[in-house]
Amino acid sequence: MRMKTTITILTLSVIAAWLTAVGSARVLTLPNFEQVVIPVGKGPGSIAIADVNRDGKPDIIVANTEDETISVLLGDGNGHFRLAPGSPFPCGKGPNDIAVADMNGDGNPDLVIANTGTPYLTILLGDGRGGFKSSPHSPFATESYPHVHGVVAADFMGDGKLAVITDSWGHDQILLIPGDGNGNLLLPGTPFHTGKRPYQRLRSADFNKDGKPDVVTTDLDMNAVTILLGNGRGGFVEAPGSPFPAGVFPWGVAIDDINGDGNLDLAVIPYDRDITNPKQLGVTVLLGDGRGSFTTMRGSPFSLAGCSGPDRIATGDINGDGFRDIVVSCAQNNKLILFLGSKDGAFEISTRSVETGWSGLAVGDLRGNGKDDIVVSNNSSGTITIFFSK
């Protein structure tokens, strides 16, 4: 079903308020979108974008929290999507995070799902055509306390077999669990200490350019992120200077080269339930030095005034100008806030009204036109909304 494009026009008073709050941010031309709504399952949450049927075109994976399934939408590269045969696929209770990785080495993307509210990780093996079935020994009972939230997968062991990392936030730890190369996890795995209460999202990338995957955790109770540098043999050490200040109550994190210097950076949003000073509600951007250390970007945090319940954060090039942009979903007042990057390092700000709730957000080029599109899940209506960049 196609819906009429919705554009939020900022009044002069709103623009003035933004400029006062943000400082180095500025508001210029608002981007245009074509808006499309697609039904999925009940209580859609986390979203991933990947080519799961190996046709060279991006597909959309949605975790449906209420009916405990995964919806797979196969894309044709022109902005049209259809349910994969057999979709939705059972995935266990409380699907909260999705990692896409080839866990059994057959060349087909598989899914690793964190079943929040439980200690379990579910692995769904892909058939390369968009279909998925449970790994024979899935779900896997981790020693996460009290339950898992986030999950990442990479060759952390250096043996060519993908391992996974999840959080044990009640113990201020992450858990590294090797894979056997056949789609199974070798429990119980190894714990590593991280910052205090790594509550919601952890992510992985090579922050120090040594070719080995590292990990970042958002540490809710210490207003910081912790960087754990991997040695490629299943070991981790904290980066020099870690943990790094990341604004108050850091919650969600996105990894990207935001300032275009060739080093990976971090964009972090807070959990605003306990924030009493509205000036603290903002996106904190941490610039990486390519060696695993980070410093706060000038002008950061960038104000999230008008965003109630910032929930998810994603990055990409929304308007195709070559500069990285940041998108934040606002769970409690149904908004997206866009921070559009520019040559001088400032951000242009735009908003979109869309049903969200505590749901999911992803950014990717779904039509191959050089402009990234935005996908947000509409938690209460059982749909996703795609904002195609025009």
Side-chain angles (χ1 to χ4, degrees), residues 24 245 257-260 265-267 283-288 294-302 324 326 341-347:
S24 64
D257 180 8
I258 293 173
N259 64 347
D265 311 312
L266 306 173
V283 178
T284 298
V285 177
L286 302 179
L287 301 179
F294 291 83
T295 57
T296 303
M297 185 178 185
R298 180 176 172 269
S300 182
F302 300 100
R324 307 309 288 174
I326 300 170
S342 62
K343 183 177 181 180
D344 59 8
F347 287 102

Side-chain angles (χ1 to χ4, degrees), residues 154-238:
D155 186 5
F156 295 108
M157 310 296 295
D159 60 359
K161 302 172 184 177
L162 298 189
V164 304
I165 290 178
T166 191
D167 56 296
S168 183
W169 56 272
H171 288 150
D172 300 332
Q173 294 175 338
I174 62 169
L175 299 176
L176 169 64
I177 307 173
D180 68 355
N182 295 311
N184 302 303
L185 299 181
L186 302 176
L187 298 165
T190 304
F192 292 90
H193 181 77
T194 186
K196 188 170 178 59
R197 201 180 179 201
Y199 183 67
Q200 186 58 229
R201 296 284 175 260
L202 55 83
R203 290 292 180 256
S204 178
D206 181 9
F207 295 118
N208 60 349
K209 298 182 176 181
D210 64 354
K212 301 162 187 175
D214 310 312
V215 174
V216 56
T217 64
T218 51
D219 307 324
L220 193 69
D221 286 353
M222 62 189 303
N223 299 339
V225 296
T226 295
I227 302 296
L228 298 174
L229 300 179
N231 65 8
R233 301 182 302 278
F236 290 90
V237 296
E238 273 200 62

Side-chain angles (χ1 to χ4, degrees), residues 113-152:
I113 297 140
N115 299 113
T116 197
T118 81
Y120 291 103
L121 297 176
T122 294
I123 294 182
L124 300 181
L125 300 178
D127 63 7
R129 300 184 298 275
F132 291 88
K133 65 179 180 179
S134 179
S135 175
H137 301 290
S138 181
F140 299 92
T142 74
E143 293 186 347
S144 172
Y145 174 79
H147 54 252
V148 298
H149 273 129
V151 64
V152 293

Side-chain angles (χ1 to χ4, degrees), residues 52-54 74 84-86 89 104 106-110 124-133:
V52 298
N53 62 346
R54 301 175 63 181
L74 302 180
F89 305 100
N104 61 352
D106 65 354
N108 300 323
D110 308 313
L124 300 181
L125 300 178
D127 63 7
R129 300 184 298 275
F132 291 88
K133 65 179 180 179

Side-chain angles (χ1 to χ4, degrees), residues 304-324:
L304 280 167
C307 180
S308 179
D311 181 22
R312 305 295 177 107
I313 184 169
T315 59
D317 185 2
I318 305 299
N319 51 6
D321 63 358
F323 303 107
R324 307 309 288 174

